[in-house]
């Protein structure tokens, strides 16, 4: 790999645990899930993923040296519904590190109406208890183009700003935001972030298309619950939707 496209791990700051770096791997989430004797709050990074995973079984395109492909390894004691909230808080941390970005519920990072990043949280359990949480963060940073099928809804920081971003700097910034918010989340829960999340979430207040196994439905998104679910209204009825069960999009486009 081109040395100028390789991450310089010496420039990466704000890793409380250990930093694990590989030039290439299948998926940093997979590496973090399989690794042994990993200190809490460690970070897995790569320059290229051959099988990057996205939400709802999708693939995450991970071209060499252009994006951030990072998984944060955590060992907290959390209830299952807290995990969904941790994903929302992670989205907020990434959003804060990317100027002018917004959030599409639950955790797509949006820049100029297109998706610039996403988060996939995975867990592994031992004896029925959640033992590790992996927060996988993917960001399109210096991509100059996207395959045709993605170009309608995907963008990169470079495409929107015209500036090549130093990935090490952005990674360090995200980690700073993430770990300070994570510590607060463990103490105070999601309620400490709910209001800020609702402000940054462009889904709220919009007519949206909700897709689940039963088909598509139009509703208005009106808020977020304490458990990170989306509150919607349709024909005068309030309905709560869970991100594991549905996907949402705007009526006129992706957001
Ligand atoms: C989404 O579909 O929006 C979530 C995408 C998450 C991609 C990241 S890249 C680093 C980590 N490793 C993976 O295989 N996926 C996540």
């Amino acid at each position: 790999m081109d040395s100028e496209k390789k991450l310089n791990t010496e420039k990466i700051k704000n890793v409380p645990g250990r930093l694990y770096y590989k030039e290439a791997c299948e998926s940093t989430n997979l590496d973090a899930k399989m690794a042994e004797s990993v200190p809490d709050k460690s970070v897995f990074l790569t320059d290229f993923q051959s099988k990057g995973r996205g939400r709802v079984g999708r693939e995450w395109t991970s071209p060499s040296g252009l994006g951030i492909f990072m998984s944060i390894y955590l060992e907290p004691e959390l209830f299952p519904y807290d995990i969904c909230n941790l994903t929302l808080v992670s989205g907020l941390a990434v959003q804060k590190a990317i100027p002018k970005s917004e959030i599409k519920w639950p955790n797509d990072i949006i820049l100029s109406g297109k998706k610039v990043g996403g988060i996939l949280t995975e867990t592994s359990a031992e004896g029925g208890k959640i033992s590790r949480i992996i927060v996988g963060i993917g960001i399109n940073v210096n991509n100059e183009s996207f395959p045709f099928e993605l170009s309608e809804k995907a963008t990169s920081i470079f495409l929107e700003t015209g500036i090549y971003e130093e990935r090490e700097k952005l990674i360090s910034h995200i980690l700073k935001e993430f770990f300070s918010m994570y510590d607060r989340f463990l103490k105070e829960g999601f309620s400490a972030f709910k209001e800020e999340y609702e402000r940054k979430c462009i889904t709220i207040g919009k007519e949206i298309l909700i897709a689940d196994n039963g088909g598509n439905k139009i509703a208005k998104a009106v808020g977020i619950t304490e458990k990170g679910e989306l509150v919607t209204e349709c024909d005068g009825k309030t309905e709560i939707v869970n991100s594991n069960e549905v996907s949402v999009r705007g009526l006129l486009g992706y957001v």
Side-chain angles (χ1 to χ4, degrees):
M1 176 186 225
D2 220 337
S3 64
E4 71 190 43
K5 281 194 166 180
K6 253 179 71 172
L7 281 170
N8 179 349
T9 51
E10 281 176 17
K11 286 190 176 173
I12 292 169
K13 301 190 179 69
N14 309 321
V15 180
R18 245 182 88 182
L19 177 60
Y20 297 82
Y21 167 77
K22 278 184 188 167
E23 225 173 276
C25 70
E26 275 193 18
S27 149
T28 54
N29 267 28
L30 183 65
D31 279 1
K33 264 174 119 170
M34 305 302 287
E36 282 175 18
S37 313
V38 180
D40 188 20
K41 299 184 178 179
S42 288
V43 172
F44 290 72
L45 271 170
T46 191
D47 277 304
F48 170 72
Q49 297 185 123
S50 56
K51 287 192 186 154
R53 308 173 181 192
R55 281 187 63 232
V56 287
R58 295 192 193 110
E59 185 199 343
W60 186 259
T61 311
S62 313
S64 197
L66 297 179
I68 292 176
F69 315 116
M70 162 162 86
S71 298
I72 303 175
Y73 174 100
L74 304 165
E75 286 181 344
E77 298 220 337
L78 286 178
F79 292 109
Y81 64 79
D82 276 333
I83 295 163
C84 170
N85 283 343
L86 175 59
T87 310
L88 300 197
V89 172
S90 310
L92 202 50
V94 175
Q95 182 277 327
K96 275 170 180 261
I98 302 178
K100 300 203 171 99
S101 66
E102 300 165 297
I103 301 169
K104 170 178 173 280
W105 181 85
N107 43 41
D108 281 357
I109 309 301
I110 304 295
L111 203 52
S112 310
K114 290 183 175 183
K115 180 161 172 168
V116 74
I119 291 157
L120 174 67
T121 304
E122 297 188 86
T123 56
S124 63
E126 260 166 41
K129 209 171 147 251
I130 285 157
S131 59
R132 34 175 94 171
I133 298 182
I134 315 298
V135 178
I137 299 171
I139 301 169
N140 306 323
V141 183
N142 292 325
N143 314 53
E144 293 174 353
S145 63
F146 285 89
F148 177 73
E149 63 282 9
L150 292 179
S151 57
E152 279 257 299
K153 68 169 201 176
T155 192
S156 70
I157 296 178
F158 170 75
L159 283 173
E160 298 309 322
T161 62
I163 296 167
Y164 290 103
E165 188 86 23
E166 192 181 294
R167 288 177 301 152
E168 294 86 346
K169 218 163 132 188
L170 183 55
I171 291 167
S172 307
H173 190 172
I174 291 170
L175 292 173
K176 183 163 174 246
E177 297 289 356
F178 177 86
F179 284 113
S180 98
M181 292 170 78
Y182 175 68
D183 289 342
R184 185 160 178 220
F185 174 74
L186 291 185
K187 285 192 210 112
E188 299 174 36
F190 182 59
S191 52
F193 302 97
K194 185 174 164 301
E195 199 197 307
E196 186 181 4
Y197 181 90
E198 284 181 327
R199 248 188 299 120
K200 304 275 176 65
C201 178
I202 42 174
T203 312
I204 314 284
K206 278 215 170 95
E207 296 283 332
I208 53 167
L209 196 65
I210 304 175
D212 66 11
N213 291 338
N216 289 341
K217 189 161 67 180
I218 294 175
K220 185 171 183 189
V222 293
I224 300 286
T225 68
E226 292 295 328
K227 294 183 182 172
E229 301 141 321
L230 189 67
V231 184
T232 66
E233 279 174 6
C234 180
D235 298 332
K237 273 195 241 142
T238 302
E239 208 177 306
I240 308 285
V241 298
N242 184 307
S243 59
N244 296 326
E245 289 151 15
V246 302
S247 70
V248 304
R249 51 169 296 169
L251 289 192
L252 301 176
Y254 181 59
V255 294

